[in-house]
Amino acid sequence: MGHAQESADEGTRHTTLSERRTGRPERLPGTGTGDRWVFGFPGQARAEVHTLGARLHSLLLPDRWGNFADVVLGARDAEQVRGPAGYFGATVGRYANRVADGRLPVDDVIHQLDTQPTGHTLHGGPEGFDQRLWRCEPFHSADRTGVRLHLHSPHGDQGFPGALNARVTYTLDRDGDLTLAYQAVADAPTVVNLTNHAYWNLEGEGAGDVLAHDLQLDASLYTPVDADLIPRGAHRSVIGSPFDLRRPRRLSDVLTGADPQLALAGGGFDHNWVLDGGRRAVPRKVAVLYAPVSGRRLDVHTTEPGIQVYTANGFAGEVTGKRGHPYRAYAGVALETQHFPDSPNRPDFPSALLRPGEVYGSVTVLRFSTR
């Protein structure tokens, strides 16, 4: 394995020889972000998940020459996970993305959610699932290895009605595919929208910006936003705009336009795309991210109806990465498979309502390759 792996993942150096051979999950000492679990088959992708926020902290992948690097942005200082790096790699909820004014209607009753300084609720509120310690159980078989994380969210948590039991499962298989599977049940009507908030740089975290990456999305429409990044009005066609990513386009080419929507998001994307075909029972490919220097490619498959793309426009060096490099604008890109922002207040959007006796389910498969 290459030198990038050694510098990117301190936990790998503590892995025993038997664990390296089998890929069986290993629990490592915590560093302020809960327990750390490392897993992955020899010679393939290797993941590290932390129980604080059910967080994907690192993922080691080979490039076209077989050299490994960590492609997930993460804070070097664990204390930053309680602040500016709170969403990095985390499982966010109970409702990922934004709920306008914290106003949550459920069965004709308006619930007031906890809000951030913007006056809106983002990613479940100020103390969302990204700031909770999840209970973890490892699993391993001949072809799959990973961890399941569980969280109980009581009635009234951040203002959400109903007690919720949530689970997220990270699975690596022998092909190096990483599957994220979410489930939840509730004892009263509520809303659920869970996703992962990893920032990707397929050249390696801390290797600079992602502006040379190519991005493709299978989406003919997106949801335009206002100055608070709340969806307003009807879906808008991507044709003739920087949002037309139906064929691969270099991010530097599409983010340099004068589109007012880019300006509202601080000079880049922080928008939801309406995926062609809507929600599916089985994951289908919806996005491709490609890094030309390393040759690493990420194909995103999901059951979800939307994907939020955030190009880290607001990064300004507040977070120092695992290899000691401050993360600045465009240091990574988040690809958040999800229901649409503010769906509870938009009857025209796919419903995120979960009732007692129902099971919320969402699956996203991250398929990695090189070319």
Side-chain angles (χ1 to χ4, degrees):
M1 295 185 179
H3 62 85
Q5 178 182 10
E6 297 177 357
S7 62
D9 187 15
E10 178 183 358
T12 303
R13 294 198 292 269
H14 298 287
T15 306
T16 65
L17 179 61
S18 63
E19 295 297 341
R20 290 195 188 105
R21 288 173 175 168
T22 66
R24 189 179 300 276
E26 181 190 12
R27 180 180 175 181
L28 302 177
T31 58
T33 56
D35 292 335
R36 303 158 58 214
W37 287 88
V38 178
F39 55 94
F41 291 103
Q44 300 291 336
R46 189 166 186 85
E48 181 175 326
V49 171
H50 295 185
T51 54
L52 179 65
R55 185 180 310 272
L56 180 64
H57 179 69
S58 71
L59 186 68
L60 296 166
L61 294 176
D63 62 12
R64 57 164 59 97
W65 301 282
N67 298 312
F68 280 74
D70 185 356
V71 299
V72 174
L73 272 59
R76 180 177 63 177
D77 182 356
E79 289 301 314
Q80 291 196 304
V81 174
R82 299 288 190 182
Y87 298 137
F88 281 44
T91 300
V92 292
R94 178 179 308 193
Y95 195 92
N97 218 305
R98 294 163 178 85
V99 178
D101 304 315
R103 178 184 181 275
L104 177 65
V106 177
D107 290 344
D108 299 323
V109 176
I110 304 299
H111 301 268
Q112 181 58 50
L113 305 180
D114 294 351
T115 60
Q116 278 89 341
T118 60
H120 307 293
T121 300
L122 175 64
H123 296 324
E127 295 293 330
F129 289 0
D130 59 290
Q131 295 299 307
R132 309 295 175 84
L133 280 172
W134 295 57
R135 178 174 59 85
C136 185
E137 56 176 336
F139 63 89
H140 182 79
S141 68
D143 298 314
R144 297 177 181 274
T145 189
V147 290
R148 296 186 188 92
L149 299 108
H150 305 263
L151 181 70
H152 175 72
S153 173
H155 170 71
D157 187 2
Q158 303 292 285
F160 287 93
L164 185 84
N165 288 319
R167 183 179 78 186
V168 58
T169 303
Y170 290 91
T171 305
L172 272 174
D173 62 26
R174 286 196 175 274
D175 292 326
D177 294 347
L178 179 63
T179 298
L180 286 68
Y182 306 88
Q183 284 192 351
V185 295
D187 65 1
T190 190
V191 296
V192 185
N193 184 30
L194 303 177
T195 194
N196 181 271
H197 207 292
Y199 290 98
W200 302 98
N201 186 328
L202 296 184
E203 304 293 8
E205 71 84 22
D209 61 49
V210 295
L211 292 175
H213 283 49
D214 293 335
L215 180 62
Q216 179 180 5
L217 300 176
D218 291 337
S220 303
L221 302 168
Y222 76 101
T223 51
V225 298
D226 64 14
D228 288 335
L229 302 179
I230 303 294
R232 300 299 184 193
H235 301 328
R236 186 175 296 175
S237 172
V238 301
I239 295 175
S241 79
F243 297 86
D244 190 352
L245 301 176
R246 293 173 296 172
R247 60 177 178 82
R249 299 180 69 183
R250 184 157 295 189
L251 286 174
S252 60
D253 293 338
V254 296
L255 297 183
T256 54
D259 191 291
Q261 284 289 310
L262 298 181
L264 286 173
F269 294 140
D270 195 357
H271 296 77
N272 169 71
W273 272 255
V274 180
L275 295 172
D276 293 343
R279 180 169 171 76
R280 301 287 185 88
V282 177
R284 83 289 193 192
K285 187 171 76 171
V286 300
V288 179
L289 184 68
Y290 174 68
V293 176
S294 66
R296 294 186 184 94
R297 169 175 165 153
L298 164 58
D299 289 22
V300 179
H301 301 241
T302 190
T303 58
E304 289 300 287
I307 186 168
Q308 182 89 5
V309 178
Y310 177 44
T311 47
N313 325 314
F315 285 16
E318 297 95 337
V319 175
T320 298
K322 288 170 278 189
R323 290 194 293 165
H325 302 288
Y327 292 146
R328 305 194 184 279
Y330 315 114
V333 55
L335 304 171
E336 305 161 58
T337 53
Q338 58 165 18
H339 273 54
F340 303 165
D342 203 29
S343 286
N345 291 301
R346 293 290 300 266
D348 54 325
F349 286 3
S351 174
L353 186 65
L354 178 68
R355 296 189 179 280
E358 299 175 341
V359 178
Y360 165 87
S362 172
V363 178
T364 294
V365 181
L366 307 176
R367 186 157 293 159
F368 300 96
S369 60
T370 58
R371 71 180 189 191

